[in-house]
Amino acid sequence: MQEKGQKWVYGISIYMVLKAVLNLIINISAGNVVYLIIAVVAFVLLTQRIPFIQYYIQYVVAAYLVLVFLINVGNNISNFSDNWFYLLEGIVDLGAAVVLVFEKNVRAFFHND
């Protein structure tokens, strides 16, 4: 179970970093640099299972993914023809958040030593 959970965690972590890099390439801005820094920090915290943090970090990252979706969903829907890719990205973010919180193998990865 832990091995499957680890694969999920690495996949989501790599997705977050690649998404941030792609967004930075598309639009170089301070906000996208911050998103990249957050993605790299999330990658490290999720994959390294740091004591005292490992029991709740997946919830923090899931909340961050949902928050980013909620911040951007209004603009993405109102400009759907121009922003359909970003809306799809937001839906994937929500899916990743659901997996981090509810997938039993991910929970096993964080809660079994």
Side-chain angles (χ1 to χ4, degrees), residues 5-15 43 46-48 109:
Q6 182 180 24
K7 289 178 183 179
W8 273 112
V9 168
Y10 271 88
I12 291 169
S13 300
I14 291 168
Y15 158 74
F43 178 86
L46 284 170
T47 59
Q48 298 306 308
F109 174 71

Side-chain angles (χ1 to χ4, degrees), residues 5-102:
Q6 182 180 24
K7 289 178 183 179
W8 273 112
V9 168
Y10 271 88
I12 291 169
S13 300
I14 291 168
Y15 158 74
M16 288 178 63
V17 172
L18 291 176
K19 177 183 87 161
V21 168
L22 181 61
N23 285 334
L24 188 61
I25 290 170
I26 291 171
N27 180 22
I28 297 176
S29 69
N32 284 335
V33 171
V34 170
Y35 284 141
L36 178 59
I37 292 168
I38 291 171
V40 169
V41 168
F43 178 86
V44 170
L45 293 177
L46 284 170
T47 59
Q48 298 306 308
R49 295 176 53 188
I50 298 167
F52 308 111
I53 296 175
Q54 79 180 46
Y55 298 111
Y56 60 87
I57 189 61
Q58 79 268 29
Y59 303 115
V60 173
V61 173
Y64 164 76
L65 289 169
V66 170
L67 181 64
V68 169
F69 171 77
L70 291 174
I71 289 170
N72 296 309
V73 70
N75 186 46
N76 293 343
I77 290 174
S78 66
N79 297 322
F80 181 76
S81 62
D82 295 330
N83 292 340
W84 64 268
F85 179 77
Y86 294 110
L87 184 59
L88 180 62
E89 178 183 299
I91 292 168
V92 173
D93 286 350
L94 283 180
V98 168
V99 168
L100 284 173
V101 172
F102 296 110

